[in-house]
């Protein structure tokens, strides 16, 4: 939730900066947004690896649920750092008026990749493999987000610094 807050918080700054044609400030905002998102997600990864049993205990999980559930946050958290970049990239796309790129990335990650991957992994390798769908989807989405950012820097941000 904190990362979503950061990503939504940088949208007005990026949009105003884009309108003011200040590419360096825009780059700095994107870099800071990604950096803070990565730091927050790194804390999440650490928590999910160090105290997964205690986190699940908040929900009064039974011993059987803990047996199934403790490996899940550890595997899922492997995707957090990749997700941080994707979440910020989605907001950057929106701020620069490229909402369709944001939509494509989100739909790909949350529907097109994760659901079929979870189904296939579950059927082929059992319940414990379902959790691998999260890192799979996030890594693929990270690569797509990198391509989107390269495209935006090449076609939108870099030309801002050039005279009209």
């Amino acid at each position: 939730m904190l990362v979503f807050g950061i990503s939504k918080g940088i949208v007005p700054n990026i949009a105003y900066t884009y309108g003011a044609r200040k590419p360096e400030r825009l780059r700095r905002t994107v870099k800071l947004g990604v950096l803070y998102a990565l730091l927050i997600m790194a804390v999440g990864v650490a928590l999910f690896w160090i105290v997964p049993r205690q986190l699940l205990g908040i929900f009064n999980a039974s011993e059987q649920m803990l047996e199934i559930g403790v490996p899940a946050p550890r595997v899922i958290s492997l995707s957090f750092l990749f997700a941080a970049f994707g979440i910020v990239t989605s907001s950057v796309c929106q701020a620069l008026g490229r909402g369709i790129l944001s939509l494509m990335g989100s739909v790909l990650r949350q529907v097109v990749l994760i659901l079929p991957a979870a189904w296939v992994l579950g059927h082929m390798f059992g319940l414990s493999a379902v959790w691998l769908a999260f890192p799979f989807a996030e890594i693929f989405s990270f690569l797509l987000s990198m391509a989107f950012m390269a495209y935006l820097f090449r076609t939108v941000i870099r030309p801002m610094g050039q005279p009209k």
Side-chain angles (χ1 to χ4, degrees):
M1 294 285 103
L2 291 173
V3 173
F4 281 107
I6 287 171
S7 72
K8 298 309 173 203
I10 64 173
V11 168
N13 188 301
I14 291 172
Y16 293 138
T17 303
Y18 174 56
R21 299 185 59 83
K22 295 184 177 183
E24 276 311 308
R25 182 175 173 192
L26 198 151
R27 282 187 191 100
R28 201 169 47 248
T29 302
V30 172
K31 285 179 186 177
L32 283 173
V34 169
L35 176 66
Y36 290 141
L38 288 171
L39 290 173
I40 289 167
M41 289 299 215
V43 170
V45 171
L47 287 173
F48 275 39
W49 275 86
I50 296 168
V51 291
R53 182 172 282 278
Q54 291 81 351
L55 291 172
L56 290 171
I58 294 170
F59 304 102
N60 295 323
S62 67
E63 200 54 45
Q64 182 184 12
M65 183 61 83
L66 288 171
E67 184 181 321
I68 295 168
V70 167
R74 288 182 173 155
V75 173
I76 291 170
S77 71
L78 297 174
S79 66
F80 285 5
L81 298 177
F82 298 105
F85 186 79
I87 292 166
V88 172
T89 298
S90 178
S91 292
V92 171
C93 291
Q94 291 173 2
L96 295 177
R98 305 307 192 277
I100 195 73
L101 295 178
S102 175
L103 177 66
M104 286 171 43
S106 294
V107 168
L108 185 72
R109 180 176 69 247
Q110 296 173 5
V111 179
V112 174
L113 292 173
I114 201 164
L115 294 177
W119 186 83
V120 168
L121 289 166
H123 277 77
M124 291 179 69
F125 304 106
L127 177 62
S128 60
V130 169
W131 311 123
L132 292 171
F134 287 88
F136 167 77
E138 291 298 347
I139 290 168
F140 191 88
S141 296
F142 167 77
L143 296 172
L144 183 65
S145 295
M146 291 287 289
F148 287 168
M149 288 304 293
Y151 167 78
L152 290 172
F153 273 96
R154 188 178 66 252
T155 62
V156 177
I157 298 168
R158 188 178 301 138
M160 281 177 26
Q162 300 168 355
K164 286 187 175 182

